[in-house]
Amino acid sequence: MIENFSGALELIADPMTMLVVVLAGLFGLVIGSLPGMTATLAAALLVPFTFFLDPVPAIAAIITMSAMAIFAGDIPSALLRIPGTPSSAAYTEDAYALTRNGKGALGLGVSLVSSVLGGLFGSVVLIFVSPILGEFALRFTSFEYFWVAVLGLTAAVIVSKGAQLKGAIALMTGLLVSTVGLDVTLGHPRFTFGNEELYRGVDFIAAMIGLFGLSEVLRAVTSRKGESLPIPKIEGQGAMRSTLAAIFRHKGRVASGSTIGGVVGALPGAGADIAAWISYAFTRSTSRKRPGDTADDKRLEAIAGASSANNAGVASAYVPTLAFGIPGDTITAILVGVLLVKGITPGPDLFLYQTDTLYSIYLLFIIANLMLLPLGFLLIRASGFVLRIPRTVLMGLIVAISICGAFAINNGYLEVGLMVVFGLLGYLFEKGGIPLAPVVLGIVLGPIVEANFMQSVIKTNWDLTQFFTRPISAVLIVLVFLAIAASPLMSWLGRRAERATALRSAQDSVDVGTGH
Amino acid sequence: MTSPETAPTTGPVRGSVLIGVLSIAAGAGVIPYGASMPFIREGIPGPGLFPMMIGGLLILFGGLLILTSVLGARRERSHAARLAAIGAPVGPTAAPADAAATSSEAAAPADAAAVPSEESEDAPATASVLDTDIGSDGPRRWLNGAVLLGSIVFFVLAAEPLGFPLTMAIVVFAIVFSLRAKWWVALATGVLTSFGLWAMFELGLMVQLPDGIIQGF
């Protein structure tokens, strides 16, 4: 293990990688702290650049960016009462209340330090759990891979909490898109409509930029007029010591939050935001009244719990991604797409043949979380400036980067056109409440499902019983059914936590009102 | 989570039914197309198998969506009636759930602006007014959308003859200007973005961008 880490260290110590890590980190912090700009949008915009990088810096960029963006989402929560990313939604009310009481820097500081600790814990989970699953995956054949991919697709539908049927339709749309091009068995062109450029299929990156970049801009420019918001000022000085004191006081919360995040995040399809909600509800419901506690202390406690959970979830979501090649959420789906482009197949092979890459991924998680500490404190100080970047300029920039990114894929205009088509599709899907994550997973996993299925049936001359009777296949089938069964459970838990939270916060605001 | 509790129930239902119908239509279109593809051997489908399976599932899920949304709406109505009977304070408590659904930009800001004034002695000094709002009212919204998509089409058509730097500057200028930025802000953004990206892609990443009329880089 040690020699693996030293090999990985050599890969990472490259100045190019370090530069990429810092730039991607800053990028993630800025995008994450802008309300309405999600970590997925940031990942989609990052993808064209990773295209030109070696595998390790490319992975580094996405990992660092996502770790930073999840924390940065807390900043508009505290300042504007709008969560920057969905993962921050659980404790937005608490963070904003702290800012109103003049403790904004303390609240954000606690959220930052618990994010870092949670992220580190999640990385440890990743390092120790994924090899175990990877070893199990070594015995897979095309039958098992078919089921693993089906499991991934099931997970894609589970991701769409509360709208599973729409998620399923979205998934089918993604799968249908993945069939465009020459087919795997006979090389017959499908859905190309005589356009020879489409023979190579719909480019994943162009689809990604359209679905998450362009559609977001389209949504923003066609939105109705709201009201301008005043930004409260954050006093950054002297918050460090009180932050550390608060973290020490709530160390139990950070530990329980990290554990919840580590476990929930690793389940396919659950992800960081559900982890945050569950941990938030857990912290609130088990919170004991201590003498001398104010409402603000309770809020800090809740933030410590939930904020460590969402960052732990980000890291542990990579467990199924690395071991089976099943992406757990949109960001890991994008990472899988990037890895496939780079000629790296995520899954058990990673554990056998590409241990250097694997261990660099482990190390990168630790580095990204450690870097979050200084960069995060800087961001808290500079948050006012970041939030004041004019939206108009930002929209122009995002469109320009999207066009360049799509064009650079093949130096052609087809991808730019595809980007527009997917931008419109993403916009319409969003309007109809259809989740976009399954579309991505469908596009990424579609070819894997089809190739393994066709390979299996041709190999055995259409003996379909083979899919069910092989021992590992049987285990995977059970997992698929468990995943399907777990989905209502998960969304029920999430909804319950949300509802309980709404009740609590109503109660708290009553308490605060009478206490002052 | 995609449909906040407070939303009127008829709108989403109609939307779901429409999505279901479109899904069924897409499935019905894909199946015959898949069936028309060549077979590997007599009776053994090849390229058409997957599209046909996807088509079948699209029809299945579309049908289920229509069914469940119509049934769900009925349940939701009875739930709302019960909630109203208790007299639960739905308004403020729904805020975190709304925010998570990302569709509530209009609702949250209004609350946020109202809250600080309640506790004026605790409220921190307001640093400045944020111009996060780029929305507009009436037909202007659709004009903005059209400018956005039209400018990308313009890029596809004009990049070869005009060259990347000029075309991109025009595209960015058009988008930023359409969002009511000052003309010089839009112009500066366009020119700087265009040359920044040109430098990054052409010089940094070695992507050959169209030169057009501006030669000699």
Side-chain angles (χ1 to χ4, degrees), chain A residues 199-213:
Chain A
Y199 279 12
R200 59 176 180 249
V202 170
D203 190 274
F204 163 75
I205 298 172
M208 207 73 313
I209 300 172
L211 282 176
F212 293 103

Side-chain angles (χ1 to χ4, degrees), chain A residues 104-230:
Chain A
L106 177 62
L108 282 174
V110 167
S111 139
L112 172 63
V113 177
S114 39
S115 290
V116 170
L117 294 173
L120 288 174
F121 181 82
S123 317
V124 173
V125 170
L126 174 71
I127 293 172
F128 286 101
V129 176
S130 53
I132 302 171
L133 288 178
E135 204 147 306
F136 172 64
L138 276 177
R139 283 173 283 169
F140 286 5
T141 62
S142 61
F143 295 98
E144 281 79 26
Y145 273 115
F146 169 75
W147 282 112
V148 165
V150 169
L151 186 63
L153 295 178
T154 320
V157 178
I158 304 168
V159 175
S160 31
K161 342 147 208 173
Q164 268 94 7
L165 276 172
K166 287 181 181 175
I169 291 174
L171 176 65
M172 291 304 136
T173 313
L175 287 177
L176 204 58
V177 168
S178 81
T179 64
V180 174
L182 298 179
D183 101 284
V184 287
T185 52
L186 297 179
H188 183 77
R190 295 187 295 196
F191 300 102
T192 54
F193 310 107
N195 184 341
E196 283 185 22
E197 272 192 282
L198 273 176
Y199 279 12
R200 59 176 180 249
V202 170
D203 190 274
F204 163 75
I205 298 172
M208 207 73 313
I209 300 172
L211 282 176
F212 293 103
L214 192 61
S215 79
E216 202 56 49
V217 178
L218 201 54
R219 203 169 63 80
V221 301
T222 58
S223 63
R224 278 202 188 78
K225 208 170 171 60
E227 274 181 71
S228 293
L229 291 172

